[in-house]
Amino acid sequence: MRFVLAIVSFMLAAVMIGYGIAQQTILATPDEVSVSTETDGTAPLTVISGEAFNTYSGNQTIRIEGPRRIMAAYGRSTDVIAWVGDASYNMVTVDPETGDLVSETITGTEQEVPDPYNSDLWLENYEAEDELALTVKIPSDVSFILASDGVDPAPNAVSLSWPLDNSTPWAGTLILGGAAVLLIGLIFLMWAVHHMRRAGGPRRKPQKMPKVPKKPRYKPSKRGAKASDAPSLRTSVRVAVPTVLVSALILSGCTASTAPNSAADQSDPTPTPTSTSEGSTVTAPAVAVRQIEKIVAQISAVSQEADEERDSDLLETRFSDAALEYRLANYKMRKADDSIALPVAIPDGPVQLTLPQQTETWPRTVFTIILDETDSTVAPIALFLEQATPRDNYKVSYAMNLEPSVVFPDVAAASVGTSRLPADSGLLRSSPTEVALDYAEILEQDVDSDSYLDFEAEGDSLRVSVGLAVKNKEKAALSSTATLTYGHELGSADPIAMATIDAGAIVAVHLYETKVAAPKEEGSAVTFSGQTKALSGISITEEGIKSTYGDQLLFYVPAAGSGEKIVLLGYTQGLVAASELK
């Protein structure tokens, strides 16, 4: 019996170990599914739709090959197509029937485009030589754009692959279990051999001496019973062995059928359903937070380099309107007088707040607030960024330091965005244009201004630094030699208003404050120094001089009919022009 148990154990171990090894070798399923296509022609761009990336579930690996530099980037599908514009490009999609990639060349009017690398529209971009492989996880509303340099044809070989779950969780169990059963079989075998040796081999019963013959009696029933005993035992052994073998086969068969990664399951993965925005009434925000973080970092790097080198050409790649005018004037003054301080630096982050415009068209506007972790004494900086066209980068049109004690109004989440209101909007307590002119009157007239009570005075540091009291003090200092005349007008930059949750708005306006200094008597002269001298190049004049200060002002304007006051949230003021009177 012990030998029988050992044999059964060996056979069961062989089945378990063999099937476990087979699951990892000859029965193993593929570990990925891959599709590919090649493009032909001279189109400078290739676009791969987000639906193609989501043909199967899981992480997506894209491999790109070409004879030269490879640029790859991904962004929202609408942004990618907008950047392509009228250029010729290869459109790579997936065939819904076969699941293969197919390429179609769409002919446009442009055969050359700018290098798309580092465009502000992309969530991420990459470059390499000859070959590029990336693993990403993008939704169906995001697409890839490929290019060489915008002039040469785009890379021509593209493949996509997705991992398949071909793990064999039962293989290790079967192999280890088989090893355990094999060990048990060895124990049975050793036990049987040991028992046989102790018994001294097979033993026979001793023969008894025959008795005195008696009258023979015929007893067929007893002999029949003895004859049937041995076959009965042998039959039970023969039945036991097949029973154990059948049990082992059933066990291994159950293991194979319940394995979650069988070849049948993995040979034809079910495509993952793709999401769609059809029917949605909410317009997407202009940018995502990760885009703004990248854009702010690039703007910070450009501003620091341009400020140090007084590089106006570099500055113009990232600044426009009021923010550009303020910095260019500073460069001119510092060229004449290097003791004049640099403009307030724009930190590279962290980004504290992002409020993008809800739009899928251009131009686009984004409001953001940036902290300076390197210097806790520097106030947060608020920027208005504008993008004129899909191929243009965002430029800073307003850059303002926030007031120290400002309480910022509640705004929509960055993933939702908000609307930009027109400059003459009637939805606010005062339109953006009226806010600029009314506040200028307060700086000149203070309590005598008709709009004085509409604006919150507490926490307004600009009134303290350039308000009526300061102006009167300046007039008194020059009263014996010159006259001072103050004025104001709207600046060259358009007002920007972004709606808040309570139906109010964050409003940025550009205001010019002018100061004219003229001699009181004919033949007398007025002398100047500091920034006015550096910007005008004049230190003394008998004609007089006109100085223009550019005010970038940031307000919170409540909704029409609200009893709240208009609050100055922040500002940047600086001399932007100075010239002799004619």
Side-chain angles (χ1 to χ4, degrees):
M1 186 63 182
R2 298 176 183 85
F3 284 106
V4 173
L5 292 176
I7 293 172
V8 171
S9 299
F10 292 152
M11 296 180 66
L12 181 57
V15 171
M16 294 176 67
I17 295 174
Y19 190 71
I21 295 174
Q23 280 191 333
Q24 295 182 328
T25 54
I26 60 175
L27 298 180
T29 58
D31 60 354
E32 71 173 21
V33 58
S34 180
V35 293
S36 61
T37 187
E38 291 191 3
T39 61
D40 52 10
T42 60
L45 301 171
T46 294
V47 176
I48 309 174
S49 69
E51 287 80 4
F53 277 88
N54 287 272
T55 304
Y56 301 97
S57 60
N59 290 336
Q60 308 129 350
T61 299
I62 177 172
R63 292 178 176 83
I64 310 158
E65 295 181 2
R68 52 186 70 87
R69 173 180 179 263
I70 296 173
M71 192 294 303
Y74 62 87
R76 290 184 301 186
S77 299
T78 52
D79 290 349
V80 170
I81 296 301
W83 196 97
V84 171
D86 295 329
S88 298
Y89 67 101
N90 306 305
M91 186 66 193
V92 177
T93 57
V94 62
D95 189 322
E97 296 182 358
T98 64
D100 295 331
L101 290 183
V102 293
S103 176
E104 176 188 6
T105 300
I106 299 176
T107 304
T109 57
E110 291 181 279
Q111 299 304 318
E112 296 182 3
V113 297
D115 188 345
Y117 186 70
N118 261 348
S119 169
D120 285 348
L121 291 184
W122 314 144
L123 297 171
E124 292 290 348
N125 54 199
Y126 313 87
E127 61 177 345
E129 290 293 332
D130 302 331
E131 183 176 359
L132 177 64
L134 303 168
T135 298
V136 295
K137 187 69 172 72
I138 63 173
S140 57
D141 60 352
V142 171
S143 296
F144 252 80
I145 182 170
L146 311 179
S148 176
D149 57 3
V151 178
D152 294 326
N156 59 339
V158 177
S159 67
L160 297 176
S161 61
W162 299 262
L164 297 179
D165 185 6
N166 67 342
S167 60
T168 53
W170 285 101
T173 303
L174 287 171
I175 294 173
L176 292 177
V181 173
L182 178 63
L183 180 61
I184 293 173
L186 291 172
I187 293 173
F188 278 131
L189 179 61
M190 294 172 63
W191 185 18
V193 172
H194 177 71
H195 181 75
M196 185 178 66
R197 288 180 177 177
R198 288 188 59 186
R203 292 183 296 175
R204 297 181 181 178
K205 292 182 179 181
Q207 296 291 333
K208 294 182 179 180
M209 293 299 293
K211 294 181 179 181
V212 178
K214 295 182 180 180
K215 184 178 180 179
R217 289 181 295 178
Y218 180 64
K219 296 179 180 181
S221 59
K222 291 184 179 180
R223 285 194 301 269
K226 289 180 181 179
S228 62
D229 288 343
S232 176
L233 292 174
R234 288 193 299 270
T235 302
S236 65
V237 173
R238 286 195 301 268
V239 171
V241 173
T243 301
V244 175
L245 290 176
V246 170
S247 300
L249 292 175
I250 291 175
L251 177 61
S252 62
C254 292
T255 303
S257 63
T258 58
N261 298 292
S262 63
D265 292 337
Q266 297 296 333
S267 60
D268 186 20
T270 303
T272 303
T274 57
S275 61
T276 177
S277 60
E278 294 181 1
S280 175
T281 58
V282 179
T283 304
V287 294
V289 173
R290 62 188 297 186
Q291 285 177 273
I292 285 297
E293 291 174 344
K294 181 185 71 172
I295 293 167
V296 165
Q298 293 174 351
I299 289 173
S300 174
V302 167
S303 66
Q304 291 181 23
E305 182 180 350
D307 290 349
E308 292 176 1
E309 302 296 331
R310 301 194 305 271
D311 190 338
S312 57
D313 291 335
L314 177 61
L315 187 73
E316 289 175 0
T317 63
R318 283 296 188 176
F319 285 77
S320 66
D321 298 331
L324 175 64
E325 181 183 58
Y326 168 75
R327 272 180 150 74
L328 290 179
N330 177 270
Y331 294 179
K332 186 175 181 180
M333 289 185 288
R334 285 171 44 226
K335 184 178 181 180
D337 183 356
D338 57 10
S339 66
I340 295 175
L342 276 70
V344 176
I346 295 179
D348 59 0
V351 175
Q352 185 183 37
L353 183 145
T354 298
L355 184 62
Q357 180 185 4
Q358 284 182 347
T359 183
E360 293 184 353
T361 60
W362 279 264
R364 295 179 170 183
T365 305
V366 179
F367 175 75
T368 185
I369 296 177
I370 312 167
L371 300 179
D372 188 348
E373 289 186 326
T374 62
D375 190 350
S376 59
T377 63
V378 176
I381 293 181
L383 304 180
F384 270 103
L385 311 175
E386 295 186 274
Q387 186 182 38
T389 70
R391 294 182 184 176
D392 287 326
N393 283 333
Y394 278 92
K395 294 183 178 182
V396 180
S397 55
Y398 286 90
M400 299 148 291
N401 298 314
L402 294 184
E403 290 279 56
S405 59
V406 66
V407 177
F408 212 79
D410 293 331
V411 297
S415 58
V416 177
T418 189
S419 57
R420 176 172 175 172
L421 306 179
D424 57 353
S425 175
L427 301 176
L428 305 175
R429 178 168 179 173
S430 294
S431 70
T433 301
E434 292 171 341
V435 168
L437 296 175
D438 291 345
Y439 187 75
E441 287 185 2
I442 293 175
L443 294 179
E444 294 177 16
Q445 303 175 22
D446 202 38
V447 295
D448 292 334
S449 170
D450 294 336
S451 303
Y452 179 81
L453 296 178
D454 294 336
F455 290 78
E456 179 62 58
E458 185 177 354
D460 186 344
S461 62
L462 186 58
R463 295 194 204 187
V464 177
S465 59
V466 299
L468 180 61
V470 175
K471 289 178 170 62
N472 289 336
K473 188 176 180 180
E474 289 178 345
K475 287 180 180 180
L478 294 177
S479 60
S480 60
T481 58
T483 60
L484 285 178
T485 305
Y486 295 94
H488 64 266
E489 59 184 272
L490 288 176
S492 58
D494 293 332
I496 300 177
M498 304 285 278
T500 58
I501 290 179
D502 59 0
I506 300 169
V507 175
V509 294
H510 189 207
L511 183 68
Y512 285 143
E513 288 189 86
T514 59
K515 179 170 65 175
V516 176
K520 269 191 171 183
E521 299 178 359
E522 186 176 352
S524 61
V526 181
T527 59
F528 297 93
S529 61
Q531 293 187 355
T532 303
K533 176 184 176 181
L535 191 57
S536 66
I538 300 172
S539 58
I540 184 170
T541 176
E542 295 180 357
E543 302 294 332
I545 197 165
K546 178 181 179 181
S547 302
T548 302
Y549 293 84
D551 296 350
Q552 302 174 61
L553 307 174
L554 183 68
F555 293 97
Y556 165 66
V557 182
S562 172
E564 294 183 69
K565 291 187 176 182
I566 301 171
V567 180
L568 179 69
L569 302 175
Y571 66 89
T572 294
Q573 187 198 51
L575 185 66
V576 295
S579 58
E580 189 176 25
L581 295 177
K582 301 298 183 183

